[in-house]
Amino acid sequence: MHEWALAESVLTAAVETAEKEKLKKITEIKISIGELQQIEQDLFEFALNEIIKQQDKMLKNVKIIIETEESVLKCKNCGHTWKFKDMQKKLKENEAEAIHFIPEVAFVHTRCPRCNSPDFEITIGRGVSITSIKGEK
Amino acid sequence: MDTRISVIDKRLSNIKNVISVASGKGGVGKSLIASSLALILSKKGYKVGLLDLDLYGPSSHIILGVKNVLPEEEKGIIPPKVNNICFMSIVYFTEDKPSPFRGIDVSNIIIELLAITQWGRLDYLVIDMPPGIGDETLDVIRLIKKSRFLVVTTPSKVSMAAVGKLLTLLKELKLPIVGVVENMKMNNSGYVKNIVSKERIRYLGSIPFDTKIEEAIGDPLRLYKTSFMKKLEDIVLSNNIING
């Protein structure tokens, strides 16, 4: 499962940040998942928990909060904005899966619903990121 | 916070050597040299990966004749083996459709590919770079610290002008340059060799223009037999580019 690699990157980044901030323990990690990447949250949480079990005490009993962020796209050509979920149903299975792995291939497989331009941007809700970390010094 | 960069070093940790095949100019034969270098290394018994980072015009898959394969999903994505080379390309995700990416998207794709690709143990990772000194080159410099650069040019003054800028940048950043290969040579001019030598960069050798190479594109077994491949192999071996 590809979610494992993303979970691993979240926890590696969290530990790196905690070390920079000289935290002895991480108590809470808040994670945002952008809708565009279509992460399977169950798999992602399973991977997080499995990796935490293998990690040192810095992550012991850490509270993980996962929030999903709606994905909003904006056309650079005509200015139209739209949500990924509005167009998700029109995607073929292989196209949706490609966007799951590499969200930017949305520019390859989808177009602006108003003017059909491929020149749009992902305003919010691209992929996985950490929004906050809490810990003890 | 973007978390992906933190895990890239780990993904590359079991790769002994990274060679980025680069040029300031397009159309000089980077992809052919990168793919052929991967084939040569694989034939010598090394574990080899090939990463096509030309996101707008990927072509390594055409040269190697890659068809009907996709990465496997296992704690990330595992590149399929093609001619015994672990091969990763954006083409698995674009289905070879036009790819209109802006600079920020190019960086995001490279970071995502490096963060999720599970290469495993490799002796060599060869990177087929796009032309120029834009996002892809800057990202490889930023994210793949152990990369060495093999620079390709043609004998053309136009090509060498752009390649000179890449060489100047690599030197300024004190990055390891394997040397320069002069491809598609058609006469005995010493123009490129003189410029490269003056810059105290290794001139690795020249490959004559091979009129039959096009017939071997897409067929690695035929590629092995071309004069292009034999000459590249000579260059690789005589310059000790392979170091284990």
Side-chain angles (χ1 to χ4, degrees), chain A residues 54 59-60 115:
Chain A
Q54 297 163 13
L59 287 167
K60 202 176 176 187
C115 74

Side-chain angles (χ1 to χ4, degrees), chain A residues 86-131:
Chain A
D86 296 340
M87 68 189 331
Q88 202 172 358
K89 282 179 193 165
K90 291 177 196 160
L91 285 172
K92 291 177 193 156
E93 195 182 330
N94 52 329
E95 292 169 342
E97 190 168 283
I99 295 170
H100 166 61
F101 289 116
I102 309 283
E104 282 69 26
V105 296
F107 303 114
V108 175
H109 300 300
T110 71
R111 294 288 182 262
C112 167
R114 189 157 83 183
C115 74
N116 210 33
S117 170
D119 188 11
F120 56 88
E121 62 183 319
I122 306 159
T123 313
I124 51 165
R126 179 201 174 275
V128 177
S129 61
I130 294 178
T131 47

Side-chain angles (χ1 to χ4, degrees), chain B:
Chain B
M1 180 207 300
D2 185 343
T3 63
R4 300 168 297 166
I5 289 171
S6 299
V7 87
I8 290 176
D9 281 349
K10 187 178 179 187
R11 297 279 179 262
L12 303 173
S13 62
N14 290 320
I15 300 174
K16 287 187 194 163
N17 298 280
V18 180
I19 300 177
S20 299
V21 179
S23 179
K25 196 76 181 159
V28 298
K30 284 180 304 302
S31 297
L32 184 58
I33 288 183
S35 304
S36 302
L37 177 61
L39 286 169
I40 290 166
L41 292 166
S42 175
K43 200 174 89 176
K44 298 276 171 210
Y46 293 103
K47 285 184 181 168
V48 182
L50 176 63
L51 171 62
D52 190 344
L53 275 190
D54 192 341
L55 305 180
Y56 300 111
S59 44
S60 292
H61 66 290
I62 298 168
I63 294 165
L64 295 177
V66 179
K67 277 178 196 155
N68 306 321
V69 290
L70 282 172
E72 264 182 58
E73 216 179 327
E74 178 62 43
K75 293 188 174 178
I77 50 175
I78 300 175
K81 275 200 171 182
V82 177
N83 293 104
N84 218 26
I85 295 165
C86 302
F87 178 63
M88 180 53 78
S89 167
I90 188 72
V91 81
Y92 298 132
F93 310 102
T94 61
E95 299 165 11
D96 238 354
K97 294 180 194 170
S99 307
F101 303 127
R102 286 185 178 266
I104 178 84
D105 309 316
V106 166
S107 273
N108 257 324
I109 292 169
I110 291 173
I111 292 168
E112 197 78 31
L113 278 175
L114 293 174
I116 65 174
T117 305
Q118 298 280 12
W119 292 100
R121 289 191 183 279
L122 291 180
D123 296 309
Y124 287 91
L125 175 63
V126 178
I127 304 180
D128 178 10
M129 298 287 294
I133 47 177
D135 293 273
E136 300 90 338
T137 303
L138 294 172
D139 280 326
V140 166
I141 291 170
R142 176 170 69 114
L143 301 169
I144 310 180
K145 301 289 182 207
K146 56 180 148 186
S147 174
R148 294 186 289 151
F149 292 83
L150 192 155
V151 177
V152 183
T153 185
T154 67
S156 157
K157 286 175 188 159
V158 178
S159 166
M160 204 46 216
V163 170
K165 292 184 178 69
L166 171 65
L167 292 171
T168 303
L169 181 76
L170 295 175
K171 273 179 73 180
E172 186 188 328
L173 298 174
K174 297 188 170 53
L175 294 165
I177 303 172
V178 178
V180 174
V181 172
E182 187 179 6
N183 192 23
M184 302 186 217
K185 187 137 180 170
M186 288 184 282
N187 59 31
N188 292 324
S189 164
Y191 173 72
V192 171
K193 189 175 184 179
N194 287 340
I195 293 180
V196 170
S197 303
K198 268 184 203 160
E199 291 295 322
R200 296 186 180 174
I201 295 168
R202 246 167 120 192
Y203 177 82
L204 300 170
S206 64
I207 304 175
F209 189 82
D210 184 348
T211 52
K212 292 188 176 160
I213 194 76
E214 197 58 33
E215 294 159 25
I217 297 295
D219 185 347
L221 290 176
R222 284 182 79 176
L223 267 174
Y224 276 124
K225 293 175 188 162
T226 59
S227 60
F228 168 89
M229 186 70 108
K230 286 184 185 115
K231 184 63 193 173
L232 180 63
E233 192 167 358
D234 285 348
I235 288 172
V236 169
L237 297 177
S238 63
N239 288 285
N240 294 318
I241 292 173
I242 301 174
N243 53 12

